[in-house]
Amino acid sequence: MEFKLISKDTQSGARCGEIKTDHGVIHTPIFMPVGTVGSVKGIYHRDLKEDIKAEIILGNTYHLYLRPGLDTLRKAGGLHRFESWDRPILTDSGGFQVFSLSPIRKLTPDGCRFSSHIDGSKHIFTPENNMDTQRIIGADIVMAFDECCPGDATYDYALKSLKLTQGWLERCIRRFDETEPLYGYSQALFPIIQGCVYPDLRRAAVEHAAALDREGYAIGGLAVGEPTEKMYEMLEIVCPLLPHDKPRYLMGVGTPANLLEAIERGIDMFDCVMPTRNGRNGMLFTWNGIMNMRNQKWSQDFTELDPCGTSFVDHTYTKSYVRHLFIAGEIFAGQIASEHNLAFYLDLVRQARAHIQAGDFKAWKDSVMPRITSRL
């Protein structure tokens, strides 16, 4: 994997670049649709490529390990072939899922024991078998195994958690570097910067991870219960300390406003289930603001979903029609909304990239923020 920094905004930390992988080029800043179990929920791959213009999607190690399982994925030739996706894939290590399963998991220096949410069966992730698992899944970019520390953790807990994550990271790297990719293309390993909302822990995490000199770096443990202002504060601490010639990935974030604020602070890569999950529940993000499609006000509105949008969905279906589908309980409603939201997110980061290159990102961002955050 190679990263090329192309342009940097002079008024902020925003930057744009290119990540080259064996499955294609990723233009940053980029938003990555989440395909947890090998599918971006409700979206055809054709539409991901042609309409949404996704350059990379995610898979989740925890879920894919449990189902369909490693034997199936290995026999299929890896996740790319299994799900018929020929562009880049990134896999989360499952650390966040382990965090969310706190009642049915136990952390030890060796790894994490957990119970399957599917059938209650017992399993263990260690840094070593987690790397082996991600080799079998075969993503272009894989994450180190970490503990996702709660956003409201005490300092003592966050310190203990960070030390655990750092020890696991060193073991992940040793295992990753002593093994080879299984399917004839290269893979890159990103450390995850933890440390909760404590500046000294975040600095220590960056110093430790940067010294290990990997192809890119992820920032985890944000948008997990801490105030939004704290998330931005941590980014302002972490980003200037990370290598400028490596991509920076903010995990699990977030709203359109979060994306622009984080881009301004130097983030290159994002993922979040919000566009599809909120879409299935009737929330649409548009260039004119946020719409709840179940509201009565849209029942007689025969205008396009988003006249400023670039997706064919925006100019094919009216607000009245989409509201009708939601009220009628039609599955098609969630599909339209999910596709629209993903197209909007990808359009948002493309516009950000264009304005970084034009040299007016800060002014553009300040001008669009009131519109995209308003409730219609």
Side-chain angles (χ1 to χ4, degrees):
M1 192 201 87
E2 298 177 4
F3 177 68
K4 178 183 179 182
L5 188 61
I6 291 176
S7 183
K8 191 175 184 301
D9 181 54
T10 58
Q11 304 299 314
S12 69
R15 66 223 212 118
C16 64
E18 290 181 353
I19 302 171
K20 292 184 178 180
T21 76
D22 289 343
H23 281 101
V25 176
I26 304 158
H27 299 88
T28 64
I30 190 67
F31 180 83
M32 303 178 284
V34 177
T36 302
V37 298
S39 167
V40 179
K41 195 179 291 290
I43 307 294
Y44 286 113
H45 287 176
R46 174 197 65 208
D47 295 339
L48 278 172
K49 291 179 178 181
E50 297 176 5
D51 181 47
I52 296 167
K53 297 180 177 61
E55 298 181 354
I56 177 175
I57 61 174
L58 266 69
N60 181 262
T61 297
Y62 166 83
H63 289 282
L64 292 166
Y65 161 80
L66 291 176
R67 191 168 50 192
L70 300 185
D71 183 58
T72 297
L73 288 167
R74 185 190 284 273
K75 288 177 180 176
L79 184 58
H80 287 88
R81 290 185 179 177
F82 183 65
E83 65 173 325
S84 301
W85 177 260
D86 59 3
R87 294 183 181 179
I89 296 175
L90 179 150
T91 42
D92 183 3
S93 67
F96 179 78
Q97 282 66 39
V98 167
F99 157 72
S100 64
L101 294 171
S102 56
I104 51 175
R105 54 88 163 156
K106 180 179 181 181
L107 299 175
T108 71
D110 186 49
C112 176
R113 298 184 182 276
F114 60 93
S115 299
S116 166
H117 72 287
I118 299 169
D119 60 10
S121 56
K122 305 297 184 182
H123 303 268
I124 184 170
F125 272 165
T126 67
E128 291 78 14
N129 72 21
N130 191 273
M131 292 298 96
D132 295 344
T133 296
Q134 292 192 76
R135 286 292 198 195
I136 293 170
I137 294 171
D140 301 88
I141 303 172
V142 307
M143 297 295 112
F145 189 55
D146 68 327
E147 183 196 2
C148 182
C149 184
D152 59 355
T154 65
Y155 183 89
D156 288 345
Y157 184 95
L159 175 60
K160 181 180 178 181
S161 174
L162 178 58
K163 289 181 177 178
L164 186 67
T165 289
Q166 290 176 325
W168 286 356
L169 171 58
E170 293 174 8
R171 289 166 56 192
C172 283
I173 289 174
R174 282 196 297 271
R175 184 65 163 206
F176 189 83
D177 288 348
E178 68 187 18
T179 58
E180 296 291 334
L182 300 178
Y183 308 116
Y185 54 85
S186 64
Q187 295 177 281
L189 171 64
F190 284 19
I192 300 177
I193 308 299
Q194 291 288 352
C196 197
V197 295
Y198 302 105
D200 61 322
L201 298 186
R202 288 284 176 177
R203 293 188 186 98
V206 175
E207 182 178 356
H208 176 261
L212 298 170
D213 192 26
R214 305 310 297 189
E215 295 95 330
Y217 297 90
I219 303 170
L222 294 174
V224 290
E226 81 288 352
T228 302
E229 294 73 20
K230 277 292 181 182
M231 175 174 71
Y232 298 150
E233 179 187 339
M234 294 304 104
L235 295 181
E236 290 166 3
I237 290 169
V238 168
C239 286
L241 300 176
L242 286 169
H244 75 279
D245 58 346
K246 305 289 179 68
R248 305 159 181 170
Y249 163 33
L250 178 57
M251 306 180 76
V253 176
T255 67
N258 291 157
L259 266 62
L260 293 185
E261 294 287 357
I263 289 170
E264 183 177 1
R265 289 161 172 81
I267 295 297
D268 305 302
M269 305 168 69
F270 303 88
D271 81 285
C272 191
V273 297
M274 183 172 284
T276 48
R277 179 176 291 171
N278 288 31
R280 292 193 303 274
N281 288 298
M283 178 181 286
L284 264 63
F285 300 98
T286 79
W287 283 106
N288 290 318
I290 302 168
M291 298 189 295
N292 180 349
M293 298 313 299
R294 296 181 182 277
N295 285 352
Q296 176 67 28
K297 66 185 296 184
W298 309 120
S299 64
Q300 302 298 313
D301 190 328
F302 303 107
T303 60
E304 299 170 354
L305 282 178
D306 189 359
C308 301
T310 59
S311 167
F312 85 90
V313 168
D314 300 329
H315 310 300
T316 303
Y317 305 112
T318 67
K319 299 180 182 73
S320 176
Y321 176 63
V322 173
R323 178 188 182 273
H324 157 69
L325 293 178
F326 272 109
I327 297 303
E330 280 290 333
I331 295 173
F332 191 33
Q335 185 176 358
I336 291 173
S338 296
E339 186 164 328
H340 162 83
N341 282 347
L342 286 174
F344 172 75
Y345 270 59
L346 268 294
D347 193 30
L348 184 71
V349 294
R350 282 193 298 270
Q351 292 286 338
R353 177 185 174 87
H355 284 281
I356 292 168
Q357 291 179 299
D360 64 350
F361 169 81
K362 183 69 167 62
W364 169 79
K365 176 245 177 185
D366 290 345
S367 71
V368 300
M369 283 285 276
R371 280 196 290 125
I372 65 173
T373 57
S374 65
R375 297 274 177 168
L376 299 178

